[in-house]
Structures are given as C-alpha cells and as structure tokens.
Amino acid sequence: MSTGSTEYSATGRHAAEEPVDYMTDSREIADGEAAPGCRKRDPIVVADNVTRAFGGMNAVDVEHLEIPRHKITALIGPNGAGKTTLFNLLTGFDTPNSGSWTFEGRSLQGVSSYKVARMGMVRTFQLTKVMGKLTVMENMRLGATQQPGERLSRALFKGIWGSREKEITEQADRLLEKFKLDAKKDDYAASLSGGQRKLLEMARALMVKPKLVMLDEPMAGVNPALTQSLLDHIKNLKAEGMTVLFVEHDMHMVRHIADWVVVMAEGKVVAEGPPGEVMKNPAVIDAYLGAHHDVDLGDAQGIKELEAELEADDESIAGTEDAGILSKIKEEEAP
Amino acid sequence: MNFLDILGGALGEMLSPTTAAYALAALGLAVHFGYSGLLNFGQAGFMAVGAYAFAVSTLQWHVPFIVGLLIAVVCAVIFAFILGIPTLRLRADYLAIVTIAAAEILRYIVTTNKLTPLTGSANGLAAFEGGFFDLNPFPPGTYPLGMSNRDFFVRVVGWVVVALACLVVWLLMRSPWGRVLKGIREDENAVRSLGKNVYAYKMQALVIGGVLGALAGMVFTLPRGAVQPANYGTELTFFLYTCLLLGGMATILGPVIGAMIFWAVLSLTQGILYGLIESGTVTFINTVQAGQLRYILVGVALMLLMIFRPQGVLGNKKELAFA
C-alpha cells in the first residue's frame, strides 16, 4: 500500500491558505509535472491501487489518482474504460478487490455509500434516478440533511420537524429556481423530460450541500438548448466552493468547463492534465479515435478537419448515410 | 329470499372483528408494500405470531392480558428482524421468497405433533380470551344489530385499534421519515446516494407493518376464542393483498375500505346465492359449491377493478400514469 494518503492530510495543507476566488484561481493544479497519477497541490480525493475485477477482466486498476480540490475535473475515456465503476468504488456503491482511498484525508475503505454521502461526497447516476411518484419538491426535500423528522422517534410530531422543513423548502425553492424547475415543483418527477430529470438529479444532489459533486454523464440525453445552462450550473458549483468530478463523452463540454482532465482506458489512468494539453496527447487520441489522431478533439475546427479526413478514407463511414456525429465514427474506428 | 336480511348481513360483516383484523393487517401491508416497496408475502405469518404468542403466553404462564399483548408485539418485532436481517440488503424479490417460506414454516411448526402441549397442533388453542373479556366495561344487554355485550366490546376495541393504527401510519407517512420510505420504494440507490441509511429505514418499516400484522392476529383470534393453524395459510396473505389492492396501495384508508368491500362482497354473494338456491331458482349448484363460488367472484371483482380502476378505490390515478 502506498503512503500517499497520509502525506496529503487535506486539512493541514488547506487551512493555511488565504481565501481565494475559485473561479480565477490560476495556481498550478499539479504538484510538478502533469502525468498519469501525478500529485496535486491540494487533493480532495486520493486513491491508491484501487482494483476491481469482474470475472477475469480488470474493470478498474488505478495505481494512484488524486482529484484536485475546488476544481472541475473531467473523467473521460472510451466505453468500458471503467469510469462508472471507479465512481461506484469511490462512493461505496461497489467494493474494490484491493486498494485504499481517502476523502479529505479520511479513509473510505469499507464505509457504506450513505455514510460517504453524509461526509459530503455526493454522486448522480448515468441512468438518471428520480423518484417518479414523488413530486419534484419532495424529491428535493429528500436530499436535505439534518431533518430530525427523518428519525422514526421524532416523525410523529410535526412540531419537532416542521421548522426545519420550512428551511429545507426555502433551500429547495432557491435551487429549483436556479435550475428553471420551479414551475414544475408540484408535478410528479416521472412527468419530467430526460433533460429535466438530469437537472433535478443535480439539484437534488446539491440539497445535501456536498463538498464534492460527482456527476456521471450529466449531458447524456440533454437537449442542446439545455446544455449551456447545465454547463453554467456546473461552473457555478465551483464558484460556490465545491469540487466537481464528472464523466463525459462530449469533448466540447470537457474543453469548455474542465480545469483538469483524467483519461481512463481499459481500467487504467492513461493520461492527465489540463484539457488543452490532454486532448493533444497521443495516448488519448489513440484511446478515443484509433488511427486518426492529429486532431484537437475539443475544438469545432479540429472535428471538421477530422471529418474531412475521414471522408477521404475509404474504410470510413464518414460522408456516407450512416455517418453522424463523432461518437459514431469513434465506435467504428476504435481498434 | 329477503334482501333486507342479506344487506343487513353484509353490513354486519363490514363491521365484524374479522374485517377489522383484515383492515389492520392490510394496513401493515400498505406500510410494507404500498409505502416502502417491501414485498412481504408472509403477513399471515405475522398474524400467526401475534395470535400464538398471545395464546401460548396466556395459557402457559397465565400472564395478564396486557402482558400477553406485549409479548405478542415483541415476538412480531423479533420475527421481523429474523426475516429482515438476511434479506433487506438484497433485492425486493428475496424478501418475498423468504417471507412466504417463513410464514409456512411457522404454520408447520405450530402444527407439529411434538409441540401439542404448547401449541395444540392442528387443533390449535382455545380458552385464552378470558382476560380480554374481563376488561369489558359494557353491561350485558342487547346492542345495535342484535349484538351481545361481548360482540359489541370486541367490535369497539377492534375498530378503535384500526383507527389508532390509521392515525399513527398517517402521521408517519406525512413526515420526512415517510418521505424517505417512499423514496426507497421508488429507487433505493438514489436515496442511498443522498446519505440515508436505507437498510435501517426498511427494517423499521418491516417491524411497524409486522406489529400491525400481529395486532391483527389478536383481533382476529380473540372473538373466536380459538387459534388454529389452518386459519393462517398462504391464502390469508393473498386475501390481505386483495383488500390492499381493492382499497388503494399507498393510502391510509384504502386497506380499511378494501377489507370492508372484500367482506361485504363475500357476504352479499353468499346471501344472494344461497337465497337463489333455496328458492329453487338456481339448481345446478348446491350451497357448498356456492361457498367456493364466492371466492371466484371476489377474484373476478379484483380483475375488473384492476382493469377499470387499477389504482384501487382510494388510490391516486396520477401515480399510476407513469408506472
């Protein structure tokens, strides 16, 4: 086992710092050279030798990974790279075969998922999970913490939990307004569209007042008109002092909002760094696109160039009827 | 055939202690299945636990009524823990398998001949209700619907218990605690990701519903003055589910209304069928067959309800729109 976790006692290093504006904080994220598994100046999550095998296949085999505090970190990689599995392992929804990992210096080994959430590490799911037969408002209230009425012994008497309920409702109202769901608050969550459910799930996670928000494909299935507002919401989380870790396939979004990008392939961390640099990294282009690597994935110009190049390629489906967005090309071209 | 008698019989059946017991047990199922999504197919087992724990402790140790009642409740809590500890971490269907098996195991245990001195085997136990009727404050005489003071006392107690249980369940379900339960019913992983101890909530719900089942077992058995294993078969659980679905799953008064409808339909069909047979209008079945036919008609009624009003009598149609 590595001793990394003890060296990075988060509180010790963090407490000495002056208050900073997290939006404009331009200090180096990495402690030294950006490389897979590199040390961070101020990590919130540190994972060591985390492995998880399904049958004979190693779904996750992460030697060392640190998530920088107060930053937006993107976790990218092709399908089956182990991104969601790593999410499940970090949040206690799955148990790794080996390894140790800490959140703010506290070990999370063997800690159950609900306790992880209470510590301030809250996740959303790739397949959105809303409570369909509860109203949007009830969904939101469910996320709140410190409601004494959630204890059976106090639930009978409204006098005990009524005042906290009012505070929770106000908090939920504010968030719903931000997420443009306030008109829907008395509707059943099942009546929301896919994109609205993504928004509700994110808003509900924020009711917990987390320190680290982990979003599993927040843009999947979201209408492009909503994308921009979702991006703004995620950026705002950083402004409010939260740390964000998200899984995403949309390179535009990654480039747009991420401060740091971690690339996984076949369960391993293959590259790390600021988005601009990582997307030029041959290992990343290889993992995502196979042979056609001399493009910048986060940039519309680069994608156009790639499409033009693929059109000239006889083996490519680009330019034919089947050709669509990059993801389609990616599936065909990946080795 | 006298329709007034038939209607009077149905009305009497709606208020009978058996109906109160069904309402109470179905309310327990509403806590389990309707609000928490726990698929308990062993509610008859919880009723048996309540009835036998009370009867055995009264007959063996001659405990006063209130102590017998407490023993019954404690036994139901223990039974809920035995069922819940191994299964509540697993998917819902495992609880269904374990509860239906446990209820049958319990019924076979009390039927065992070796335990005859304790449980009375297939004949069951009798003459344990004295302590309860000693508490009767009503003087002998004639009460409404031609009841004796004993009948009246049993009905008053039974329905007061149902009313109190409804009140407690209503208070619980409108609280944040109830909200967490409903969230668990919808998606327990989502609730877990928000920092709630799903396992503890499910256990609490299982215990509360189980205690209601045990109380129902006592309400069921006290007016009979006898407890017999044959009464607590699997079909009892399915009748309770029928009541629950008739009334509306995630409602407070639904199980109560459902139990009343269930027994009223049974009583009405019996009255009408027997009347038709006795008057010679119907000749192709006898009264014994008619007794079985009633349950077929209850099944048909449930099917019609599921087709035309799937949310039950009191259920919220909107909740089903997205199912």
Side-chain angles (χ1 to χ4, degrees), chain B residues 66-99:
Chain B
I66 197 75
V67 177
L69 175 79
L70 286 177
I71 290 175
V73 169
V74 168
C75 285
V77 173
I78 294 169
F79 190 56
F81 274 109
I82 292 172
L83 295 181
I85 287 171
T87 54
L88 287 183
R89 286 187 205 280
L90 305 172
R91 249 181 16 226
D93 17 359
Y94 292 97
L95 182 72
I97 297 165
V98 167
T99 46

Side-chain angles (χ1 to χ4, degrees), chain B residues 110-286:
Chain B
V110 294
T111 320
T112 312
N113 281 334
K114 284 234 162 122
L115 291 175
T116 306
L118 196 65
T119 64
S121 185
N123 291 328
L125 299 167
F128 49 78
E129 75 281 18
F132 172 69
F133 285 107
D134 288 346
L135 300 173
N136 190 348
F138 301 109
T142 313
Y143 289 85
L145 293 164
M147 285 184 259
S148 71
N149 66 329
R150 272 172 67 109
D151 292 344
F152 191 66
F153 177 54
V154 164
R155 279 164 179 76
V156 167
V157 170
W159 287 104
V160 164
V161 171
V162 171
L164 286 177
C166 283
L167 180 69
V168 168
V169 173
W170 178 73
L171 284 172
L172 284 177
M173 290 309 161
R174 69 160 188 172
S175 74
W177 183 83
R179 178 168 65 219
V180 177
L181 273 194
K182 289 178 229 167
I184 291 170
R185 175 191 69 196
E186 299 298 313
D187 194 317
E188 60 175 77
N189 273 335
V191 176
R192 208 169 270 140
S193 78
L194 297 171
K196 321 287 179 205
N197 187 353
V198 168
Y199 183 68
Y201 281 98
K202 283 161 93 174
M203 188 61 90
Q204 288 166 353
L206 189 67
V207 167
I208 290 171
V211 167
L212 290 177
L215 292 176
M218 287 181 62
V219 174
F220 185 77
T221 202
L222 278 171
R224 285 178 172 70
V227 47
Q228 284 167 330
N231 283 337
Y232 300 96
T234 318
E235 70 275 11
L236 174 58
T237 302
F238 292 113
F239 290 153
L240 294 174
Y241 266 100
T242 307
C243 298
L244 181 66
L245 296 174
L246 279 171
M249 281 194 302
T251 57
I252 304 295
L253 292 177
V256 179
I257 303 277
M260 286 179 161
I261 295 175
F262 179 81
W263 282 103
V265 168
L266 278 182
S267 168
L268 278 177
T269 46
Q270 170 168 334
I272 292 168
L273 281 170
Y274 283 19
L276 289 173
I277 291 164
E278 275 161 22
S279 66
T281 323
V282 172
T283 50
F284 53 88
I285 53 169
N286 58 35

Side-chain angles (χ1 to χ4, degrees), chain B residues 303-316:
Chain B
M303 280 166 66
L304 290 176
L305 190 88
M306 287 297 105
I307 293 165
F308 294 108
R309 201 176 163 81
Q311 72 272 30
V313 175
L314 294 183
N316 181 349

Side-chain angles (χ1 to χ4, degrees), chain A residues 93 113-114 117-118 121-123 125 129-134 138-139 141-145 147 149-152 155-158 161 165 168 188 190-191 204-205 208, chain B residues 167-169 171-172 174-198 201 204 208 249 316 318-320 322-323:
Chain A
F93 277 83
S113 49
Y114 79 94
R118 279 186 197 173
M121 185 166 163
V122 175
R123 68 170 298 182
F125 295 86
K129 292 184 189 296
V130 295
M131 288 72 174
K133 290 181 202 171
L134 297 185
E138 288 286 73
N139 264 275
R141 286 182 183 141
L142 201 49
T145 50
Q147 167 54 279
E150 284 180 1
R151 301 185 77 89
L152 181 56
L156 281 178
F157 311 105
K158 195 173 182 180
W161 49 263
E165 192 79 348
I168 289 171
Y188 282 115
S191 73
R204 189 179 63 196
V208 189
Chain B
L167 180 69
V168 168
V169 173
L171 284 172
L172 284 177
R174 69 160 188 172
S175 74
W177 183 83
R179 178 168 65 219
V180 177
L181 273 194
K182 289 178 229 167
I184 291 170
R185 175 191 69 196
E186 299 298 313
D187 194 317
E188 60 175 77
N189 273 335
V191 176
R192 208 169 270 140
S193 78
L194 297 171
K196 321 287 179 205
N197 187 353
V198 168
Y201 281 98
Q204 288 166 353
I208 290 171
M249 281 194 302
N316 181 349
K318 274 206 280 178
E319 285 193 357
L320 277 186
F322 310 109

Side-chain angles (χ1 to χ4, degrees), chain A residues 101-267:
Chain A
W101 64 109
T102 62
F103 174 67
E104 297 204 299
R106 290 158 77 184
S107 173
L108 290 185
Q109 222 170 340
V111 176
S112 47
S113 49
Y114 79 94
K115 284 185 186 149
V116 173
R118 279 186 197 173
M119 285 173 167
M121 185 166 163
V122 175
R123 68 170 298 182
T124 65
F125 295 86
Q126 187 175 3
L127 300 170
T128 326
K129 292 184 189 296
V130 295
M131 288 72 174
K133 290 181 202 171
L134 297 185
T135 63
V136 169
M137 182 47 97
E138 288 286 73
N139 264 275
M140 292 293 285
R141 286 182 183 141
L142 201 49
T145 50
Q146 269 141 39
Q147 167 54 279
E150 284 180 1
R151 301 185 77 89
L152 181 56
S153 51
R154 315 213 175 135
L156 281 178
F157 311 105
K158 195 173 182 180
I160 298 177
W161 49 263
S163 60
R164 176 69 184 134
E165 192 79 348
K166 264 190 205 136
E167 293 169 19
I168 289 171
T169 309
E170 277 165 27
Q171 188 194 349
D173 272 327
R174 278 197 300 276
L175 275 169
L176 284 177
E177 207 173 312
K178 259 197 209 168
F179 281 75
K180 303 264 188 306
L181 285 170
D182 43 342
K184 292 267 181 192
K185 69 177 179 186
D186 296 320
D187 294 2
Y188 282 115
S191 73
L192 298 182
S193 74
Q196 287 170 327
R197 288 183 201 200
K198 282 272 174 203
L199 287 174
L200 173 59
E201 199 187 28
M202 202 195 287
R204 189 179 63 196
L206 298 183
M207 286 294 289
V208 189
K209 295 193 173 158
K211 293 170 191 149
L212 170 62
V213 190
M214 298 173 68
L215 307 169
D216 201 344
E217 300 206 14
M219 292 301 169
V222 175
N223 140 21
L226 267 176
T227 309
Q228 194 54 49
S229 84
L230 254 179
L231 288 180
D232 293 340
H233 287 314
I234 295 174
K235 274 190 183 170
N236 280 336
L237 299 183
K238 184 170 75 163
E240 285 162 25
M242 286 178 227
T243 306
V244 181
L245 174 66
F246 69 96
V247 169
E248 190 51 67
H249 283 297
D250 180 346
M251 287 305 137
H252 172 69
M253 168 180 173
V254 171
R255 181 172 190 90
H256 206 74
I257 64 169
D259 300 306
W260 193 258
V261 179
V262 176
V263 188
M264 281 182 82
E266 289 165 15

